[in-house]
Amino acid sequence: MTNTIHRPALVPATGHQLHLAGVHFDAVRIDGIRGELVAEWLVEASGDDAGPIVCEAGGGRWVYFLLAPGEVAAHDWPLGVQRHGGGTRTVTYIGTPALEGNTWPLRWYSVPTVTAPYVCPARLRDTLQ
């Protein structure tokens, strides 16, 4: 079965765009190689339909797992995982890249689809354990 690319409002037509976490989505952020491994495992476990996962090319090479609004506060997360969104006390803007073209320094590790517009928090938590 081929997944249909889903381009919700949070995905810009070109380049990249900042969004306030907790409004369009919540986010779980994991640093560097650990984040990349979690993303790889999650994509594999979901049959290439993991939902939106964004990677940074520079700095700490953060990986952002975009969850439905309200999901970050609804779950306990292990150490080393940063939470952004509803229920947190900080205001955080997170960038989302376009689906194609020059989006440096951001890129999609996994794009949102009709069947996975957000990362499943239960599957992400299982992957983190």
Side-chain angles (χ1 to χ4, degrees):
M1 178 174 133
T2 303
N3 294 323
T4 304
I5 298 296
H6 179 63
R7 190 175 164 271
L10 63 97
V11 177
T14 61
H16 57 274
Q17 183 176 17
L18 294 176
H19 294 278
L20 181 61
V23 176
H24 296 284
F25 54 81
D26 284 356
V28 168
R29 181 171 92 163
I30 304 173
D31 187 16
I33 192 70
R34 179 178 180 219
E36 292 173 16
L37 287 172
V38 169
E40 182 180 323
W41 294 331
L42 189 61
V43 168
E44 199 171 294
S46 68
D48 291 331
D49 197 22
I53 302 171
V54 176
C55 298
E56 286 184 354
R61 292 177 31 213
W62 294 104
V63 179
Y64 296 85
F65 300 84
L66 307 185
L67 310 173
E71 289 293 337
V72 162
H75 301 279
D76 291 324
W77 299 95
L79 292 175
V81 169
Q82 295 181 8
R83 305 173 318 149
H84 301 283
T88 61
R89 295 182 177 179
T90 59
V91 174
T92 305
Y93 287 88
I94 296 172
T96 58
L99 295 174
E100 54 188 23
N102 183 7
T103 63
W104 191 89
L106 302 175
R107 71 174 176 85
W108 288 107
Y109 195 95
S110 174
V111 297
T113 64
V114 172
T115 55
Y118 297 104
V119 170
C120 173
R123 186 173 279 155
L124 177 58
R125 288 181 62 231
D126 289 347
T127 304
L128 289 167
Q129 296 182 19

